Amino acid sequence: VAGFTAAYWVGPRLKSDRERFSPNNILLMIAGGGLLWLGWAGFNGGAPYAPNVTATVAVLNTNVSAATSLLTWTCLDVIFFGKPSVIGAVQGMMTGLVCITPGAGLVHTWSAMLMGMFAGSVPWFTMMILHKKSTFLMKVDDTLAVFHTHAVAGILGGVLTGLLATPELCALDCPIPNMRGVFYGSGIGQLGKQLGGALFVTVWNLIVTSAILLCIGLFIPLRMSDDQLMIGDDAAHGEEAYALWGDGEKFDVTRPETTRTGGAGGAGREDTMEQRLTNMGARGVTIQL
């Protein structure tokens, strides 16, 4: 919620970037997703602060929910778009991790699978269908789709935990006696508590994040100008994230087709553009039209 609120106040990227902005490196995204999955099992399993039954169940449920959500998201991509997506699979993994977190140590493993199915389908629907039909959601430049992968999945996990938490596992970890989900006899009031907690967190983040950003905006602009956005990293930091043509050297298309460089014994020689690119480590690319 805080991230989505910040995206609203900061404003969108350039229209060209929003229309076509492919991931920089899918292999690194997969590696990061794997590290995220590993770390998530660590903090869900570490929540009880002891190597006990609750920790064991939490680690198991975390992996089961993430795997189920990943498969669910991928299946929906295949059904509706005709092909699986690696990016979609990672999104599904994240929604599964987010959704199971409230109840990782409080639900049975079959419940974790059920939560994973909901985590892979409900955020998929809000991202792929609802988002494109909502003028407000389209206006906010939520680059990483945090509203769907974290807000929707997180609220969903809180609600499902209120339904599926078992009395046996609650007794091992909850400080309040006789806690259980609605399906185990707690009454509909427990679901109201879950929704009330989600509402409080949402409103709190909305107000506090807005206040922080509006205060910052009094001193510095929250968004770069369009001219600076066109230049990118070099305008903001005086450096590029990737040196595409060599060690810090930038390719200047305005330079002549041939340049004179120093040769052996001080004699000059003329290098073609292709030779200069080869010397800088670039590979030639043939484009067929």
Side-chain angles (χ1 to χ4, degrees), residues 9 67 104 126-127 135 180 216 263 272:
W9 287 112
T126 62
M127 182 187 297
T135 303
R180 63 191 66 202
I216 294 174
T272 65

Side-chain angles (χ1 to χ4, degrees), residues 185-262:
S186 70
I188 199 66
Q190 183 60 44
L191 185 60
K193 294 178 182 178
Q194 304 296 111
L195 291 172
L199 179 62
F200 175 81
V201 171
T202 300
V203 174
W204 174 267
N205 277 274
L206 179 65
I207 295 174
V208 175
T209 303
S210 297
I212 291 173
L213 288 169
L214 289 174
C215 289
I216 294 174
L218 296 176
F219 301 96
I220 59 174
L222 296 177
R223 183 182 184 273
M224 299 170 68
S225 66
D226 288 351
D227 292 338
Q228 290 177 317
L229 288 175
M230 284 291 294
I231 299 173
D233 291 337
D234 195 45
H237 310 291
E239 57 191 7
E240 293 286 345
Y242 298 92
L244 296 178
W245 306 107
D247 294 332
E249 184 175 355
K250 299 178 183 178
F251 178 63
D252 187 358
V253 296
T254 63
R255 293 172 65 180
E257 183 63 22
T258 60
T259 57
R260 180 172 295 277
T261 59

Side-chain angles (χ1 to χ4, degrees), residues 144-162:
L144 300 179
V146 295
F147 175 77
H148 307 284
T149 58
H150 287 72
V152 174
I155 294 173
L156 182 64
V159 171
L160 291 175
T161 298

Side-chain angles (χ1 to χ4, degrees), residues 36-112:
L36 182 70
W37 192 334
L38 175 66
W40 216 292
F43 75 72
N44 275 357
Y49 300 107
N52 52 25
V53 173
T54 303
T56 304
V57 172
V59 172
L60 175 62
N61 286 343
T62 297
N63 286 283
V64 168
S65 176
T68 305
S69 180
L70 184 153
L71 291 174
T72 302
W73 193 295
T74 302
C75 288
L76 289 173
D77 278 346
V78 172
I79 293 171
F80 286 92
F81 302 124
K83 61 184 68 174
S85 166
V86 175
I87 299 174
V90 174
Q91 297 276 35
M93 176 208 74
M94 287 194 295
T95 55
L97 293 172
V98 171
C99 184
I100 192 60
T101 297
L106 304 177
V107 301
H108 288 308
T109 302
W110 68 264
S111 297

